[in-house]
Amino acid sequence: MSVWFNPAREIDALLRKAATSVPGFEADFDPELKSSDPRHADFQANGVLAAAKKAKANPRALASALLESLRTEGGVDEKLIQVEIAGPGFINFKLTPVALGSWLREYRDESKWRAGAARLMGGRKVVIDYPSPNTAKQMHVGHLRPIVIGEAVARLVEFCGADLVRDNHIGDWGTNFGILILAIRRAGFQLDAKSPHALEDLERLYKEGSAATKADPALMDAARAELAKLQAGDAANTALWKEIVEVSNAACQRIYDQFDLKSDVILGESFYRDKVDQVYAELQQYGLAEESEGALVAWHDEEPRFSRHAETKMPFIIRKRDGSSNYASTDLATLLYRLEHFKADEIIYVTDGRQQDHFHQLFVTGAKWFKASKRRLPRLRHVWFGTILGEDGKAIKTKSGDPVRLQALIDEATERAYQEVKKKNPDLPEAEHRSIAKAIGVAALRYADLSSSRTMDYTFSWEKLLAFEGNTAPYLMYAVVRVRSIFRKSGLAVGQGEEGATDPETPTEIALARKLLGFTAALDSALEDLRPHHLCTYLHELAAAYGAFYAADSVIVDEPAVKARRLMLCSRTTAILEVGLRLLGIEPVERM
Ligand code: ARG
């Protein structure tokens, strides 16, 4: 008896295969298998209805022909899965308690789940581009989402078997360096990379420089001259630029450390500065780019908005009028590098939603370019997100109108978590209050961000973020603590005491077992369009199912088989909660 890690996937594949030998089903038949109301079934296939309509056949007859073919093909093991036709031609699949018990015994820990999930992305070389901030600025609240979402997506993809490269594509080669270098020179400022204020100083100087160049065209020309010198490789400007980037990277690193974010490579825009000429040359050679008012641009006439005939002219500008490269040129060069150097099968870009047009044009241009040059095109995905709003419904800001610094946000989250933990568990030693608060603070920031669909804006609220009830990080972390305490109190390690566990029996045991198995579907949905909130929703539901089980069924009972199976349910619950939280970037704690 083989136990499937992800029964829905297996059933889906079997149905597709069974359909190929039944007249009436087309080759691309989609069973439309969905999770179902658990009272009736675990999964329901609705696709027969559409197929029957197309073939002008009776849906129930077609459904039974499909089941007949499924049976001859070897079908599903009826000890594990009950199959029946329902309604006008749906097919219901219900996992038996034997199946639930077998799954729990077989898929007992992270290594098993990883192996099971590896079917999803196994062997794929994936480059993920995050958090990719622009340099010479302190990190602010706007940097929270690329860090948090990027990290969760990276962990998810890696868990599902991808061979992953985390590439931090920093913006370290913009026009702003001309202004900044000029401002530094004019102020006679000595950049001290070791000073803790170095980045603040640079930010202040940039603001001054930016105001000054706006006010005085001669200064603007001077800034342009500094930039031109830098781009031409002038030694003094290059040295200064390097220092600025180092200061900036060091400050970012202090933030990354608190979010446990590690990049494999940091290949910023500057890395591609000598690789853009090939882009200009090839795109012109293939007739994909043309000069327009001095700039080099790509049109996409088949795309209403990016066509040269459109009213609002929006070409993809790949070289500026003054001959310098821009965001588009470096991104095209980056695309080629990721194909040639990393052999990427897939590239995932994590940025805010305002860059959708850019990535749309990049992907279309890249596809045409690689087709013309007979290169393989990696799968390209833009994982974009909405804005964090303040309670007033506008983008979150400080009272003075500046963006909230990310470090200030972390500090406040930690301080608030500290107050909560002290209130909840006053007897713990102070040092532990502090370390728990640190874990919860950052976890709460992350979870609030990840728990709603990323493409939506969300309203930032300290109360909601740190609540110990509801769909929050503290609630889930606390659920882990509660399950673990059962083991601690009985002197067992998690995973111990489940020898001889029988299959789930009571309604609450069965409901919890079914939820545990739902981990595989949650992974599927989160991976499908790279939306971690599916995982959050699932973990929250799992914690609730555990709550109902714990309220109804005592764990530490006399009958050995019952006790063993309930301990098994507890152990799987905490293990899946912990793995799930880690996938979101959250490290569970022992006590809180
Ligand atoms: N530096 C850009 C920004 O802060 C994001 C870069 C995203 N990655 C890319 N390959 N374009 O908006």
Side-chain angles (χ1 to χ4, degrees):
M1 184 167 63
S2 85
V3 189
W4 292 326
F5 176 64
N6 188 335
R9 281 206 165 235
E10 309 289 341
I11 294 170
D12 177 86
L14 284 178
L15 285 174
R16 284 173 199 266
K17 186 150 167 274
T20 57
S21 53
V22 180
F25 287 104
E26 292 182 354
D28 61 351
F29 167 63
D30 176 0
E32 296 176 33
L33 197 72
K34 309 231 159 38
S35 295
S36 172
D37 178 345
R39 277 170 303 177
H40 308 303
D42 288 275
F43 317 107
Q44 185 170 70
N46 300 343
V48 173
L49 295 190
K53 202 166 171 194
K54 260 196 213 157
K56 299 204 169 48
N58 174 319
R60 276 191 78 100
L62 203 58
S64 37
L66 181 61
L67 283 191
E68 197 40 50
S69 163
L70 187 67
R71 262 179 215 122
T72 22
E73 295 268 352
V76 294
D77 186 336
E78 293 196 12
K79 278 201 296 305
L80 301 178
I81 301 175
Q82 291 164 353
V83 190
E84 72 180 20
I85 298 175
F90 306 130
I91 308 175
N92 283 344
F93 298 86
K94 198 171 171 89
L95 300 169
T96 63
V98 179
L100 297 171
S102 312
W103 194 93
L104 293 171
R105 283 185 289 270
E106 173 72 20
Y107 296 101
R108 32 180 313 126
D109 57 33
E110 178 163 356
S111 66
K112 292 276 189 171
W113 301 326
R114 272 185 192 270
R119 297 247 327 253
L120 300 174
M121 293 284 266
R124 274 175 89 69
K125 187 86 191 181
V126 178
V127 175
I128 179 164
D129 178 321
Y130 81 103
S132 308
N134 292 331
T135 48
K137 260 198 194 154
Q138 300 187 79
M139 293 203 125
H140 55 77
V141 58
H143 294 105
L144 183 63
R145 304 206 79 184
I147 292 178
V148 164
I149 294 171
E151 187 61 29
V153 169
R155 290 182 185 207
L156 179 69
V157 164
E158 196 164 50
F159 186 86
C160 296
D163 179 4
L164 192 64
V165 179
R166 294 161 154 90
D167 182 0
N168 188 357
H169 186 82
I170 56 175
D172 58 355
W173 199 243
T175 38
N176 48 350
F177 280 103
I179 295 177
L180 186 53
I181 291 175
L182 179 74
I184 291 175
R185 293 266 153 75
R186 281 195 358 127
F189 179 74
Q190 273 304 326
L191 184 57
D192 172 9
K194 292 204 182 55
S195 153
H197 311 292
L199 194 55
E200 258 166 83
D201 293 338
L202 288 177
E203 218 172 44
R204 179 177 44 77
L205 283 164
Y206 179 75
K207 264 194 199 155
E208 286 169 18
S210 161
T213 48
K214 264 195 203 109
D216 182 350
L219 284 180
M220 188 52 111
D221 287 341
R224 283 209 190 93
E226 295 294 359
L227 181 67
K229 270 164 74 186
L230 173 66
Q231 289 180 337
D234 169 82
N237 277 12
T238 304
L240 188 51
W241 163 77
K242 267 204 181 127
E243 258 186 285
I244 297 170
V245 173
E246 268 163 36
V247 164
S248 164
N249 282 351
C252 288
Q253 192 58 51
R254 289 195 287 277
I255 298 275
Y256 299 157
D257 289 345
Q258 298 170 79
F259 282 98
D260 201 12
L261 181 153
K262 291 178 195 74
S263 302
D264 298 306
V265 287
I266 303 184
L267 299 175
E269 291 174 14
S270 70
F271 176 77
Y272 297 96
R273 59 188 188 268
D274 62 355
K275 299 179 175 55
V276 289
D277 286 337
Q278 185 185 0
V279 174
Y280 308 143
E282 286 200 25
L283 288 185
Q284 283 174 289
Q285 175 197 336
Y286 296 120
L288 295 171
E290 61 183 42
E291 298 260 355
S292 168
E293 298 169 35
L296 190 61
V297 307
W299 294 105
H300 298 295
D301 287 336
E302 72 289 2
E303 305 261 338
R305 295 181 38 239
F306 307 128
S307 147
R308 80 193 77 209
H309 313 297
E311 223 163 274
T312 45
K313 297 256 172 284
M314 268 181 68
F316 197 40
I317 304 176
I318 63 172
R319 189 179 61 207
K320 291 198 282 189
R321 233 190 283 187
D322 63 9
S324 58
S325 63
N326 66 0
Y327 197 45
S329 5
T330 43
D331 256 337
L332 285 164
T334 307
L335 183 56
L336 181 57
Y337 185 81
R338 287 174 177 163
L339 172 71
E340 291 187 334
H341 183 81
F342 294 118
K343 311 275 180 279
D345 296 306
E346 179 164 343
I347 307 175
I348 298 170
Y349 301 82
V350 184
T351 81
D352 77 59
R354 287 169 300 184
Q355 298 197 26
Q356 286 178 82
D357 280 345
H358 168 76
F359 282 104
H360 188 98
Q361 288 175 300
L362 173 68
F363 294 176
V364 177
T365 311
K368 290 182 186 171
W369 174 26
F370 283 13
K371 184 162 184 227
S373 56
K374 302 206 163 47
R375 292 182 174 106
R376 177 173 61 78
L377 182 70
R379 178 175 188 192
L380 304 173
R381 292 210 262 182
H382 182 208
V383 168
W384 60 272
F385 46 81
T387 311
I388 306 181
L389 305 175
E391 314 255 20
D392 60 356
K394 298 203 189 101
I396 189 167
K397 291 247 162 68
T398 59
K399 285 200 190 70
S400 59
D402 292 328
V404 182
R405 281 190 313 115
L406 194 45
Q407 189 58 58
L409 208 63
I410 299 172
D411 292 345
E412 180 160 0
T414 310
E415 182 55 32
R416 284 174 181 260
Y418 170 75
Q419 301 299 346
E420 285 293 321
V421 174
K422 223 168 128 169
K423 216 166 44 194
K424 249 198 135 55
N425 208 340
D427 300 333
L428 291 179
E430 170 71 6
E432 206 172 337
H433 280 149
R434 290 280 171 201
S435 73
I436 296 172
K438 213 165 167 185
I440 297 182
V442 173
L445 280 176
R446 279 191 203 270
Y447 196 87
D449 198 300
L450 294 171
S451 57
S452 63
S453 181
R454 60 176 162 74
T455 47
M456 299 200 311
D457 297 343
Y458 77 89
T459 306
F460 192 91
S461 141
W462 285 116
E463 284 67 43
K464 210 181 139 232
L465 209 83
L466 284 161
F468 275 67
E469 288 301 327
N471 191 12
T472 67
Y475 173 72
L476 291 176
M477 293 169 84
Y478 196 56
V480 170
V481 170
R482 276 182 7 222
V483 188
R484 284 192 158 262
S485 76
I486 293 176
F487 289 92
R488 204 169 345 146
K489 282 188 197 137
S490 17
L492 295 168
V494 173
Q496 271 182 346
E498 56 186 65
E499 296 73 28
T502 44
D503 298 326
E505 260 176 40
T506 69
T508 30
E509 287 173 358
I510 289 178
L512 176 57
R514 185 172 268 137
K515 236 332 140 206
L516 288 164
L517 222 136
F519 180 46
T520 61
L523 284 175
D524 263 7
S525 341
L527 197 68
E528 161 113 18
D529 47 3
L530 303 176
R531 288 180 196 267
H533 79 277
H534 290 297
L535 196 57
C536 298
T537 308
Y538 166 73
L539 294 175
H540 184 226
E541 288 171 5
L542 174 59
Y546 175 78
F549 155 78
Y550 188 75
D553 303 312
S554 319
V555 176
I556 307 302
V557 291
D558 289 337
E559 295 125 282
V562 178
K563 180 170 158 187
R565 76 165 182 254
R566 292 190 180 159
L567 280 171
M568 173 171 77
L569 285 164
C570 292
S571 155
R572 294 305 173 276
T573 301
T574 186
I576 289 185
L577 284 174
E578 288 172 51
V579 166
L581 285 172
R582 283 200 189 98
L583 284 176
L584 300 171
I586 293 173
E587 192 53 41
V589 293
E590 268 293 322
R591 298 195 279 187
M592 61 189 265

